[in-house]
Amino acid sequence: MSVQKTFLFLQGPHGPFFRQLGQMLRKAGVPVWRVGFNAGDAAFWGRAPGYLPFPGELADWPKALATILKDHAITDIVLYGDTRPTHAEAVRQAKAQGLRVHVFEEGYLRPYWVTYERGGSNGHSRLMDFSVAEMRDRLARSDIDMPTPPAHWGDMRQHIFYGALYHWFVMFRNGRYPGFRPHRALPVHRETMLYTKRLLLMPFLALHRRRATARIKSGGYPYHLALLQLEHDASFQAHSSFDDMQAFIAEVIGGFAQGAPAHHHLVFKAHPLESGQSPLRQMIRQAALQHKIAARTHYLRGGKLAQILDQARSAVTVNSTSGQQALWRGIPLKAFGTAVFSKPQFISDQPLAAFFAAPQRPDAKAYREYRQFLLETCQVPGGFYSASGRQQLLRHLIDKMLDDQDPYDALLSRPSPGAAPLRVVHARPLQ
């Protein structure tokens, strides 16, 4: 007789996704509880049942979590990102007790997909243990047409809106949670202001970005692309050796100045959610002046990556998932941090100066196999923030979450090669 599954939700993406996911699980007959650490968590959970406020400090969390797990007979923990302190403690206790941990993250193949794994994501993902040869072996029986991302994706505005709203609740309605401290170093009031400013300035920033992109594309010079990340991003903080983005910028500019041909240019592209907290433009300008390449260095704030990536000679990143867009195009990629795509077939091992001088291309066939493996396992079509994206995502998730096997084991347990071909139905692209 199987044990009744009981799910405990911790913190999720900004917006109503976790509440809607909980509703779907309850419709499937599964009890659902939710721990709220601040007023933003409470607001997005709304009046859904099972809410458990945690007003204490981080030091109180391990004992409180242990009590919740015992009192409610929790079998499954659901969280967004596995590195923030409250989630890292939950993963630790879950592993000690043999509980399942369902981890959501932004898609490794974003923006058309989101990531769903068991136990850990990014540098803690089971993908780190699979070689491309092992992936190829498991996919040998499948004949799948890999879908490509749609031409339009419309949830960035919703993402920024929900971020601003979440931080507004934390800033002005958080009296019930005296012990709450954000997992990021940036004060809540400052993050609220930056999200709001970003939302209001989106039309003006888009115009400025389009003009800057047009100038680069029409410049007639070869260029290399540096993909910047958010300093507070979990992948950057937990899975790289850089203390901050300034250190990465300095290393990239130094390597470019030393190795790139004199007629090549270097373009830094900021993350679409870059708030302006870090003076990236000034950092880049200062380092470029120091190496006497200011006239060949450019900065783009946010925007769609494809518009500037298509014509790039190479790309460098710490460990941003946007690096996979370069690999999909067969563009040489240099990555400095630990990432799920850090496979020897994809990432150049050249010294940085040599990379900029003559970058080595990735193994395109191996990357297609890797990408296919991801689409078969941990990538789920849809998104967290737009209504259509959530609808797409939810219809795929519940069966995956209720399955006793995680997505990788589910693939590995399929019939051996020679069995009937798998039938794969791909979801309609989001509009």
Side-chain angles (χ1 to χ4, degrees):
M1 181 176 179
S2 61
V3 177
Q4 165 69 55
K5 290 183 172 69
T6 301
F7 281 72
L8 176 68
F9 283 50
L10 301 184
Q11 290 191 291
H14 298 151
F17 169 67
F18 259 25
R19 173 174 54 81
Q20 293 175 354
L21 180 61
Q23 289 173 342
M24 293 287 286
L25 284 169
R26 283 193 294 273
K27 289 180 181 178
V30 178
V32 174
W33 299 88
R34 166 70 192 270
V35 176
F37 297 86
N38 57 54
D41 294 341
F44 286 132
W45 193 251
R47 296 185 178 181
Y51 186 74
L52 304 170
F54 174 71
E57 298 182 356
L58 182 60
D60 305 320
W61 172 238
K63 183 177 179 180
L65 174 62
T67 300
I68 292 171
L69 297 179
K70 180 180 179 182
D71 289 352
H72 298 286
I74 301 300
T75 61
D76 295 70
I77 299 177
V78 184
L79 44 83
Y80 173 66
D82 62 355
T83 60
R84 66 184 69 181
T86 50
H87 289 179
E89 174 61 22
V91 172
R92 187 191 69 79
Q93 291 197 27
K95 289 183 176 180
Q97 299 183 38
L99 309 181
R100 283 177 291 268
V101 179
H102 306 257
V103 183
F104 287 97
E105 259 293 0
E106 303 293 340
Y108 296 146
L109 301 177
R110 70 181 73 174
Y112 184 25
W113 297 272
V114 305
T115 297
Y116 167 71
E117 297 184 272
R118 304 271 181 94
S121 63
N122 293 310
H124 300 144
S125 168
R126 286 187 64 188
L127 282 172
M128 305 300 297
D129 301 325
F130 287 106
S131 69
V132 174
E134 290 172 321
M135 297 178 186
R136 181 185 302 123
D137 178 67
R138 300 314 304 174
L139 292 170
R141 68 185 66 87
S142 302
D143 183 15
I144 301 172
D145 292 328
M146 293 186 295
T148 56
H152 175 70
W153 178 260
D155 75 349
M156 184 56 66
R157 186 179 295 274
Q158 293 96 319
H159 191 165
I160 295 173
F161 169 76
Y162 284 131
L165 183 61
Y166 177 89
H167 289 94
W168 184 89
F169 277 107
V170 175
M171 185 174 176
F172 295 109
R173 294 289 187 270
N174 217 46
R176 189 182 181 186
Y177 304 88
F180 173 72
R181 298 293 181 272
H183 65 282
R184 298 173 181 172
L186 191 64
V188 171
H189 72 277
R190 177 65 174 161
E191 191 152 9
T192 304
M193 183 182 70
L194 290 171
Y195 264 109
T196 304
K197 179 182 177 182
R198 176 77 177 176
L199 187 64
L200 295 174
L201 291 179
M202 281 186 76
F204 304 99
L205 295 174
L207 178 61
H208 180 271
R209 183 172 59 247
R210 283 196 294 269
R211 289 176 175 173
T213 301
R215 285 196 298 269
I216 294 169
K217 292 173 68 175
S218 63
Y221 44 75
Y223 62 83
H224 305 256
L225 198 59
L227 305 172
L228 300 177
Q229 296 168 241
L230 302 175
E231 282 189 352
H232 61 252
D233 181 78
S235 291
F236 184 85
Q237 291 291 329
H239 304 298
S240 84
S241 60
F242 293 104
D243 293 329
D244 51 39
M245 196 55 63
Q246 185 171 11
F248 171 68
I249 290 170
E251 180 151 349
V252 170
I253 288 180
F256 181 84
Q258 181 182 354
H263 62 290
H264 285 208
H265 287 229
L266 177 62
V267 178
F268 285 89
K269 185 189 177 298
H271 189 281
L273 293 176
E274 178 58 53
S275 63
Q277 167 68 12
S278 298
L280 296 177
R281 186 187 298 274
Q282 293 91 320
M283 293 177 187
I284 294 166
R285 178 70 175 172
Q286 182 179 5
L289 286 170
Q290 180 182 350
H291 288 276
K292 298 181 174 56
I293 60 167
R296 297 194 287 141
T297 306
H298 312 269
Y299 173 71
L300 286 177
R301 184 170 181 175
K304 292 185 180 299
L305 178 59
Q307 296 175 356
I308 197 71
L309 181 59
D310 286 338
Q311 299 178 29
R313 288 294 183 92
S314 75
V316 295
T317 184
V318 178
N319 53 10
S320 171
T321 55
S322 61
Q324 297 213 51
Q325 295 194 39
L327 295 174
W328 175 241
R329 291 166 170 80
I331 295 172
L333 180 66
K334 178 76 174 175
F336 291 87
T338 302
V340 294
F341 54 85
S342 295
K343 308 294 183 184
Q345 294 91 339
F346 312 148
I347 305 302
S348 173
D349 62 355
Q350 299 168 274
L352 189 56
F355 176 80
F356 281 124
Q360 297 173 353
R361 289 192 174 276
D363 183 333
K365 182 177 184 296
Y367 180 71
R368 287 194 297 270
E369 293 166 335
Y370 166 86
R371 186 175 184 270
Q372 182 175 333
F373 185 84
L374 265 61
L375 292 172
E376 282 270 357
T377 54
C378 64
Q379 299 302 283
V380 186
F384 295 128
Y385 306 105
S386 68
S388 59
R390 290 193 301 274
Q391 291 169 3
Q392 184 86 297
L393 184 55
L394 288 168
R395 69 170 57 98
H396 290 274
L397 273 177
I398 303 304
D399 290 340
K400 285 180 175 289
M401 296 180 70
L402 294 178
D403 194 330
D404 288 334
Q405 293 184 312
D406 81 356
Y408 302 113
D409 290 334
L411 175 62
L412 296 175
S413 65
R414 287 179 180 175
S416 60
L422 298 173
R423 179 176 178 268
V424 177
V425 179
H426 294 300
R428 178 171 54 86
L430 299 178
Q431 302 298 319

